[in-house]
Amino acid sequence: MAILILASALLALQSPPAVGPSVESSDEIVVIGQRVRRVRLTTRRDRRTGAQTCAIKRSSGDPAIDGAMCEAALSCAKIATREAQMVACLGPLVAAIPRRLAEMRALPK
């Protein structure tokens, strides 16, 4: 069963990003959050093998964001059988993506 995940459906579940310790990191969180909203993806389960796949239908333009969204969708697809369950599962995971990616990008290289 294919489930089309609309990031806009998840926006109702997201809280606004908290102000971080610096303006730069807050700006980064906001930008990432805006890109997360652009992503459209589907998940599919192969009936023969049971393998789950994720396909990006509309990219954020950032491979790290697209990968994080697919990772979240695939983890929820393991337990969700209906769209409402998928949205409920994805809400907290998607809401955490902007902060997590901003923190990873702020680490010294």
Side-chain angles (χ1 to χ4, degrees):
M1 171 182 203
I3 300 176
L4 179 60
I5 307 304
L6 300 174
S8 60
L10 299 171
L11 293 178
L13 299 173
Q14 293 183 7
S15 59
V19 175
S22 73
V23 173
E24 184 178 304
S25 65
S26 292
D27 290 346
E28 180 76 8
I29 291 170
V30 170
V31 169
I32 293 170
Q34 291 168 344
R35 288 184 175 179
V36 164
R37 290 182 184 116
R38 293 182 198 149
V39 176
R40 301 291 184 265
L41 57 88
T42 61
T43 59
R44 295 193 185 276
R45 181 186 310 269
D46 184 306
R47 290 180 191 229
R48 264 185 309 129
T49 65
Q52 291 278 353
T53 59
C54 175
I56 300 290
K57 299 292 184 180
R58 186 169 74 188
S59 175
S60 67
D62 185 330
I65 294 171
D66 295 347
M69 290 289 289
C70 269
E71 181 182 312
L74 290 173
S75 69
C76 289
K78 292 175 185 175
I79 58 171
T81 58
R82 303 210 183 280
E83 186 174 358
Q85 292 171 327
M86 188 70 144
V87 170
C89 177
L90 278 172
L93 297 177
V94 170
I97 289 172
R99 178 169 299 284
R100 184 174 48 135
L101 289 178
E103 288 172 354
M104 285 178 15
R105 291 174 180 176
L107 293 176
K109 295 180 177 164

